[in-house]
Amino acid sequence: MAVTVKPPAARTPVRRVGFSSRLARWDVKVSPYLYISPFFILFAIVGLFPLIYTGWVSLHNWNLIGGNLGFSGTENFTFVLSQPYFWNAVGNTFSIFLISAVPQIILAIGIAAVLDANLRAKTFWRMGVLVPYVVAPVAVGLIFGNVFADQSGAINGLLTSIGLDPVPWHSNTLASHVAIATMVDFRWTGYNALIFLAAMQAVPRDMYEAAILDGASRWRQFISVTVPMLRPTIIFVVITATIGGLQIFDEPRVFDAYGLGGADRQWQTLTMYIWELGWGQRNLGRASAVAWLLFVIIVLIAALNFLITRRIASQGGRK
Amino acid sequence: MTSVPMVEQTAGKRAAESARRRRDRGGAQAPRPARVRGRKTGGFNRRPGFVTYGLLGAVVLGSALPILWSVLVASHDSTAIVKGVPLIPGGNFFANAATVLDTIPFWKALGNSILVSTVTAASVVIFSSLAGFAFAKLRFRGSKALLVFVVATMAVPTQLGVIPLFIVMSKLGWTGTMGAVIIPGLVTAFGVFWMTQYLQDALPDELIEAVRMDGANMWQAFWHVALPAARPAAAMLALFTFVATWTNFFWPFIVLNAQNPTLPVALQQLQSARFVDYSVVLAGVVLSTIPLLIVFAVAGRHLVAGIMQGAVKG
Amino acid sequence: MSTKPTSAGRARRGPALAASVAAAALLLTACGGGDEGASEGGDGQVTLSISTFNEWGYEELLEEYQEANPNIKIVHDKKATSNNARDNLNTKLAAGSGLSDIEGIEVDWLPELKQYPDQFADLASPEVEGRWLDWKVEDATTEDGKLIGYGTDVGPEAICYRSDLFAEAGLPTDREEVAALLEGDWDHYFEIGEQFTAKSDAAWYDSAMSAYQGMINQVENAYEENDGTVIATENPEVKDIYNQVLENSVDKDLSAHLQLWSDDYEAGFQSGAFATTFCPGWMLGSIEGNAAGVEGWDIANVFPGGGGNWGGSYLTVPTQGKNQEEAIKLAQWLTAPEQQIKAFASKGNFPSQVEAYEMEELTGSTNEFFNDAPVGQIFADRAEAVSVTPFKGQNYFAINDSMQQALDRVDVLKSDDPDSSWQKFVTGVEALQ
């Protein structure tokens, strides 16, 4: 079987220019910076400017419509740190994140392992698990609203029909977190499963053959071949899921008609708190302070995650 | 290119592998080889059993439920969802779809969505691959720190970026245009991070060294070696980016207007009523999801093929 | 600002492709009709944009206006919910650009916008003098006498009730008789409720909050003094109403304990969870939709404690706009009684224009779903009955939201008793300062 490396498009003859060695050295030195520059140029405009602007606003008494009402130093920070709703939002954010992320990642690896088997109609199955990712939020919100309604919802209807007590999905804090985590997992599990699948596909098959010759069971193969080889991908998924999970906004916002996180803020997350301060109370200064605190929290947690995951994922060294 | 033997070595195994799989596929219908106690003999390319298919079937069915439900509601009238949705499709879908087309500039929004999603997906793939290649395979001062910085940018809460970003777009005079939606998404930290992670393992250093010895410059190394190696990851990134852009609402809603919307922005107009007629809203949802399913069908094939064959075209 | 093609440009294809992606992106920004709001065509063409939310019944009116004024093209931007519209409005006020030529706003946002009169054109003009109910105009007038909004609709409240549930509980069913039965103060309304619930499985009304908003809207200075001083937490009137509502809703169990607009609330219409609700004109459409297939809804020309208004909207002309003159003309035309009557006929938004109350189209209008009730006449009477104009300062709606949550904690969640929930309310109000 003759295999050639082909560029995706028709080949262009490579022009041979007589390189001077200096040009080649310059090529090696400068190319990497050129290649990463598009990201950084764009980030400067659409990421860095907003970040600095937000930092600036957080140090001022700043009304959303009225604008800057004077320098206030760290007052916004000390104020929000003294607010029970801030700490409540921190707790909710972590709670929803953990309840959703842990099962999600385990499930995603499991689904990926099944998809990695020698299935019929591969494309169908693979695309099938990604379907939740394309469903419009309005449909998902409607359905889950119907499923988790306290009195008229499908789950509680089922529970009462078999003689059990209904679950207070909206009034009980933990129950509301479970419901929201379910919505989050519905959307993202298939997505992460495909990321894991891509990594599994890249595991050289002869490693499995060697394991089989050693008499390893399927489970054993999975634990000692697949998981170590997935190390970089697990790190990747854990970090992106952490960053995304701590910024969770859409799902808890549609969990009731008001979008504030419940009458007792049972499921208000940090991004929702930012929204309430900035757009509800029009206090952009305080909202920016919370945004910066959230930014710092996420960076810390992501770094911590990175260290832990690197530990756990044993030695699946680079090729 | 002298690198071909190199590739052939790695590719040979894979090619052989896929050939074996193809042979298996033509095999008997029985999901298992008819051997008693043949539990381990099949290895990883043994046909999975009914249990596996059952589990997968349940997952996929659960995944598809909202779409099926949307189709169901969209085929009835406004009272269906209030009184409880019947399990038999009604005959009202085309009437609802017609209402959608009358109420919102659907075709214009569809065109905009296709444009925005396609350009964004293409540009994210190209620029992320470039940056990923640099971070994964090239040595340069500050690469570690810069990569950490890239990942850290993902932690900036999007909600607060809205006002400064709108100020920027408005100064540039882009508000209301597709540019305001496309530009911020041209390259994403997620994409750069993903491509870096993938290329680290999928692209052997020797391969790059080989083409460099051959006199290729950096750009050629990227274009002829890194990009083909990144194909499966690139296909996936393209699909994810396309879908994410297609369903994005938060920013387009702020920066676009009714005249020139993307699909989600146009669809929200269907919900403006004291009592929302969800049969029409979901008809809109169904119409706007169809193009995505087509993209799925097309990309899915490439995705599977890409993953299966790794860095090489068979 | 472009993302530049990223190579020294030696191998041709790659950079060319990268560049073409970037170029395509840039080109897109050039074409694509980036006119936010106003654009002047060559032949004196003016494009006006107008933003509304929910349902204002403007579609045909805007067509009509464009036919009468061939040089005007109107773009109508409908936001799904008032929250969406408010977020959008606030964001663009903050950014200093991007608003439509005419922005529809809800009465709830008026107090916060009145603090920034520079952001809105002064709409006062002799032509519209005396067009609206006095309190409607007063609400939109700033301290220095600027009028920032033209009134569209109002929400005078009546009582909507389920005549079949009334019959089962031995109460009268005819709307005149029901009005006579419920005539009186809030105590009286709650008493009848006790009689009703003694004989019925259904609750008397949907939630503590809806009863509360009816009561608090009859207090002149509930949360703030006229100079803006916040008194919500020490005002005995507020505390009394709070206690009265919760006692009747929770201890006497007159409420169905539903959070307004929730899935359970909407399902409550189908299951017959409650027998009465407080309904302004704009509520009828949502009751009709949610109660599809349910027989027996009717409207009584009565409201406990006199009259009350809930909701209503305005048209404003932001000073960001480039076509303020034309925009004001359109806003004037849209809020004229003749036009508002048409919006009422198509979507039920009850006019705030006094002349409209005399018009046959309004007084003669009935609503089929509500047992052919003469809704036009009923709401016209209810609008006349509004005697108190509650003062709403810049903190009114934030405080009212905190109150709503305080009531829901006791009535819906049952997670707090009235005292502990009140304490949280106090904390919430203090955090607003």
Side-chain angles (χ1 to χ4, degrees):
Chain A
M1 206 169 184
V3 184
T4 50
V5 178
K6 277 196 288 187
R11 272 181 78 166
T12 39
V14 179
R15 241 192 334 168
R16 288 287 174 84
V17 187
F19 283 122
S20 73
S21 60
R22 246 173 77 184
L23 202 59
R25 264 214 306 278
W26 182 84
D27 182 33
V28 172
K29 267 216 169 72
V30 176
S31 287
Y33 295 108
L34 271 181
Y35 295 174
I36 62 171
S37 63
F39 173 82
F40 286 93
I41 291 170
L42 190 72
F43 176 76
I45 306 165
V46 303
L48 197 63
F49 170 69
L51 197 63
I52 292 168
Y53 179 93
T54 303
W56 172 249
V57 170
S58 74
L59 298 174
H60 293 75
N61 182 358
W62 196 294
N63 179 289
L64 180 70
I65 308 173
N68 190 348
L69 307 172
F71 185 76
S72 67
T74 56
E75 203 180 296
N76 287 323
F77 290 90
T78 49
F79 175 85
V80 294
L81 288 171
S82 72
Q83 286 299 300
Y85 277 166
F86 171 78
W87 296 104
N88 172 59
V90 171
N92 288 342
T93 303
F94 278 97
S95 165
I96 293 173
F97 164 62
L98 289 172
I99 295 173
S100 62
V102 175
Q104 183 188 125
I105 288 172
I106 293 169
L107 262 175
I109 294 181
I111 291 173
V114 173
L115 287 174
D116 193 30
N118 188 11
L119 295 165
R120 289 167 204 281
K122 282 190 182 63
T123 311
F124 169 79
W125 295 116
R126 283 173 191 176
M127 292 297 100
V129 299
L130 196 62
V131 163
Y133 185 59
V134 311
V135 183
V138 55
V140 177
L142 270 175
I143 293 178
F144 281 101
N146 281 328
V147 168
F148 289 116
D150 293 339
Q151 296 176 21
S152 55
I155 295 184
N156 284 348
L158 200 67
L159 289 175
T160 42
S161 70
I162 55 174
L164 295 171
D165 284 342
V167 178
W169 292 114
H170 290 75
S171 43
N172 179 297
T173 304
L174 188 63
S176 70
H177 293 185
V178 170
I180 290 163
T182 310
M183 287 160 78
V184 174
D185 286 359
F186 172 78
R187 186 170 160 83
W188 294 101
T189 305
Y191 175 94
N192 285 322
L194 282 198
I195 291 182
F196 283 126
L197 176 65
M200 284 182 191
Q201 296 276 332
V203 177
R205 300 286 143 170
D206 48 359
M207 289 186 70
Y208 288 117
E209 278 168 8
I212 291 166
L213 286 175
D214 291 345
S217 66
R218 292 204 133 221
W219 176 248
R220 196 65 238 165
Q221 290 171 40
F222 178 72
I223 291 298
S224 26
V225 179
T226 314
V227 173
M229 293 299 288
L230 285 182
R231 198 186 75 151
T233 312
I234 293 178
I235 292 177
F236 173 82
V237 169
V238 166
I239 289 180
T240 51
T242 305
I243 291 174
L246 294 177
Q247 295 187 51
I248 180 171
F249 184 74
D250 294 343
E251 287 87 356
R253 220 170 127 79
V254 299
F255 193 56
D256 76 355
Y258 298 94
L260 290 169
D264 207 14
R265 299 293 186 274
Q266 308 92 298
W267 64 88
Q268 184 177 54
T269 61
L270 277 164
T271 42
M272 290 169 82
Y273 186 52
I274 291 172
W275 196 251
E276 186 189 348
L277 288 172
W279 275 257
Q281 302 177 11
R282 302 183 308 285
N283 195 322
L284 204 60
R286 286 175 190 171
S288 304
V290 178
W292 262 87
L293 290 168
L294 175 61
F295 176 66
V296 172
I297 291 172
I298 293 175
V299 170
L300 288 176
I301 300 290
L304 195 71
N305 260 346
F306 176 72
L307 296 173
I308 294 172
T309 326
R310 216 164 54 166
R311 261 295 140 77
I312 290 177
S314 63
Q315 338 77 12
R318 290 250 190 96
K319 280 178 258 168
Chain B
M1 284 211 162
T2 51
S3 56
V4 172
M6 286 286 329
V7 180
E8 215 156 37
Q9 266 184 16
T10 35
K13 278 185 211 134
R14 289 181 196 229
E17 181 48 45
S18 61
R20 207 174 316 146
R21 276 162 186 263
R22 269 198 286 273
R23 203 176 54 227
D24 280 356
R25 204 175 299 156
Q29 283 295 311
R32 291 175 178 212
R35 276 175 61 171
V36 196
R37 307 179 53 181
R39 224 178 47 114
K40 283 178 225 163
T41 51
F44 58 86
N45 63 354
R46 190 194 55 184
R47 283 269 178 226
F50 291 115
V51 178
T52 312
Y53 282 109
L55 284 175
L56 258 188
V59 169
V60 170
L61 187 69
S63 303
L65 266 184
I67 289 194
L68 299 176
W69 183 84
S70 302
V71 171
L72 204 56
V73 175
S75 69
H76 290 280
D77 63 2
S78 64
T79 60
I81 199 169
V82 174
K83 293 178 179 171
V85 184
L87 294 174
I88 312 142
N92 224 5
F93 181 79
F94 290 101
N96 287 332
T99 311
V100 172
L101 300 184
D102 281 347
T103 316
I104 57 173
F106 183 84
W107 300 113
K108 173 142 193 163
L110 180 70
N112 281 338
S113 276
I114 290 173
L115 185 84
V116 170
S117 302
T118 311
V119 173
T120 307
S123 120
V124 163
V125 167
I126 300 264
F127 290 133
S128 300
S129 306
L130 260 178
F133 170 63
F135 279 126
K137 293 294 158 187
L138 306 182
R139 296 213 184 92
F140 57 101
R141 202 186 292 268
S143 68
K144 267 246 157 34
L146 285 170
L147 181 61
V148 169
F149 182 78
V150 169
V151 177
T153 62
M154 284 196 275
V156 181
T158 39
Q159 282 76 20
L160 265 204
V162 171
I163 291 172
L165 195 55
F166 192 88
I167 293 173
V168 172
M169 291 301 161
S170 157
K171 285 271 181 291
L172 294 167
W174 289 352
T175 50
T177 66
M178 289 307 123
V181 179
I182 292 174
I183 302 286
L186 279 180
V187 47
T188 58
F190 175 88
V192 174
F193 188 26
W194 165 241
M195 280 308 199
T196 305
Q197 290 286 81
Y198 187 86
L199 283 172
Q200 238 155 24
D201 279 349
L203 183 60
D205 290 352
E206 304 85 38
L207 212 53
I208 302 170
E209 274 154 33
V211 293
R212 295 278 299 154
M213 300 289 282
D214 209 30
N217 61 34
M218 273 300 170
W219 178 260
Q220 290 159 330
F222 167 73
W223 196 252
H224 297 305
V225 182
L227 212 51
R231 253 186 52 221
M236 205 133 117
L237 181 61
L239 182 66
F240 285 171
T241 310
F242 190 94
V243 174
T245 314
W246 189 271
T247 53
N248 188 9
F249 175 75
F250 190 75
W251 171 245
F253 174 74
I254 293 288
V255 83
L256 297 178
N257 56 37
Q259 246 178 309
N260 196 18
T262 54
L263 273 173
V265 177
L267 286 179
Q268 70 94 33
Q269 299 220 14
L270 296 173
Q271 292 180 68
S272 66
R274 286 292 172 200
F275 173 75
V276 179
D277 181 350
Y278 280 109
S279 64
V280 173
V281 172
L282 290 172
V285 166
V286 172
L287 287 180
S288 72
T289 312
I290 292 170
L292 273 186
L293 296 177
I294 293 170
V295 169
F296 260 42
V298 174
R301 221 160 259 215
H302 280 278
L303 211 59
V304 174
I307 294 172
M308 293 301 310
Q309 294 163 7
V312 224
K313 265 190 163 168
Chain C
M1 213 40 223
S2 98
T3 30
K4 40 184 237 254
T6 52
S7 91
R10 282 188 310 274
R12 280 161 309 178
R13 272 199 79 83
L17 203 131
S20 63
V21 168
L26 282 176
L27 270 177
L28 291 172
T29 63
C31 57
D35 49 337
E36 41 172 278
S39 64
E40 291 273 355
D43 47 358
Q45 269 285 335
V46 178
T47 302
L48 289 177
S49 52
I50 172 167
S51 264
T52 63
F53 50 90
N54 271 340
E55 191 53 79
W56 292 34
Y58 277 179
E59 274 71 15
E60 284 151 29
L61 290 173
L62 295 175
E63 291 292 323
E64 193 183 323
Y65 191 81
Q66 288 177 91
E67 273 162 36
N69 303 276
N71 64 322
I72 304 276
K73 182 170 174 289
I74 301 174
V75 180
H76 185 195
D77 205 341
K78 283 170 83 174
K79 308 287 188 223
T81 64
S82 104
N83 274 345
N84 273 355
R86 179 176 178 263
D87 290 344
N88 180 60
L89 179 83
N90 280 341
T91 304
K92 288 170 183 176
L93 282 173
S97 71
L99 288 173
S100 296
D101 294 313
I102 299 179
E103 286 278 340
I105 63 162
E106 200 166 36
V107 65
D108 293 15
W109 326 333
L110 254 183
E112 70 201 39
L113 298 177
K114 268 159 68 175
Q115 299 171 76
Y116 307 103
D118 300 353
Q119 297 278 4
F120 298 95
D122 187 357
L123 304 178
S125 114
E127 284 169 56
V128 296
E129 203 71 47
R131 184 182 274 188
W132 297 276
L133 295 160
D134 287 347
W135 53 266
K136 188 73 180 175
V137 178
E138 202 178 310
D139 271 348
T141 307
T142 61
E143 278 174 31
D144 51 3
K146 228 174 124 175
L147 179 67
I148 64 163
Y150 285 154
T152 55
D153 64 326
V154 281
E157 292 182 275
I159 297 270
C160 291
Y161 67 99
R162 282 278 299 269
S163 57
D164 53 332
L165 295 179
F166 271 47
E168 283 168 33
L171 295 176
T173 57
D174 173 75
R175 67 178 75 96
E176 308 283 335
E177 288 173 30
V178 172
L181 170 78
L182 295 176
E183 188 61 49
D185 59 9
W186 285 91
D187 276 331
H188 177 70
Y189 169 79
F190 291 130
E191 271 166 36
I192 305 287
E194 282 182 76
Q195 290 175 30
F196 171 85
T197 50
K199 294 184 186 157
S200 172
D201 293 338
W204 183 228
Y205 50 86
D206 41 23
S207 88
M209 180 58 205
S210 52
Y212 175 88
Q213 67 76 29
M215 297 164 87
I216 206 74
N217 268 323
Q218 294 167 343
V219 178
E220 190 123 15
N221 291 86
Y223 303 142
E224 298 147 300
E225 294 288 9
N226 284 356
D227 63 3
T229 319
V230 174
I231 52 170
T233 52
E234 26 324 317
N235 186 353
E237 277 181 292
V238 175
K239 188 77 195 256
D240 287 347
I241 292 176
Y242 173 85
N243 287 334
Q244 188 185 1
V245 163
L246 285 178
E247 186 193 338
N248 284 293
S249 301
V250 180
D251 303 346
K252 296 186 182 165
D253 209 19
L254 298 183
S255 144
H257 314 298
L258 298 167
Q259 187 178 43
L260 287 182
W261 325 122
S262 68
D263 287 286
D264 282 338
Y265 163 82
E266 287 172 1
F269 283 100
Q270 288 291 321
S271 62
F274 47 88
T276 66
T277 181
F278 312 94
C279 52
W282 51 259
M283 182 83 98
L284 300 189
S286 105
I287 294 179
E288 188 176 338
N290 284 318
V294 177
E295 308 260 320
W297 276 102
D298 206 328
I299 309 176
N301 189 349
V302 67
F303 197 71
N309 179 74
W310 185 9
S313 299
Y314 291 87
L315 292 179
T316 65
V317 177
T319 46
Q320 288 179 12
K322 299 183 190 71
N323 283 325
Q324 291 174 48
E325 244 172 81
E326 285 295 346
I328 292 175
K329 269 191 216 159
L330 173 58
Q332 274 191 10
W333 184 83
L334 280 171
T335 56
E338 302 78 21
Q339 275 64 253
Q340 191 64 44
I341 279 283
K342 289 179 190 162
F344 169 75
S346 80
K347 300 293 176 193
N349 299 20
F350 194 77
S352 56
Q353 295 78 352
V354 271
E355 259 178 60
Y357 300 167
E358 310 300 321
M359 293 183 181
E360 172 58 30
E361 293 96 321
L362 183 127
T363 52
S365 68
T366 59
N367 186 312
E368 196 186 346
F369 181 82
F370 290 88
N371 193 16
D372 292 324
V375 284
Q377 193 54 57
I378 291 177
F379 286 121
D381 290 350
R382 291 290 98 217
E384 307 276 316
V386 177
S387 54
V388 178
T389 311
F391 173 78
K392 297 179 181 180
Q394 58 166 313
N395 285 309
Y396 183 91
F397 286 96
I399 296 172
N400 206 46
D401 279 350
S402 294
M403 178 54 91
Q404 174 170 346
Q405 287 141 19
L407 293 164
D408 280 346
R409 280 192 292 266
V410 185
D411 178 48
V412 182
L413 302 185
K414 304 188 174 69
S415 62
D416 276 275
D417 60 34
D419 288 337
S420 67
S421 198
W422 178 264
Q423 276 317 311
K424 288 181 184 173
F425 165 71
V426 172
T427 313
V429 172
E430 278 163 4
L432 291 174
Q433 309 308 307

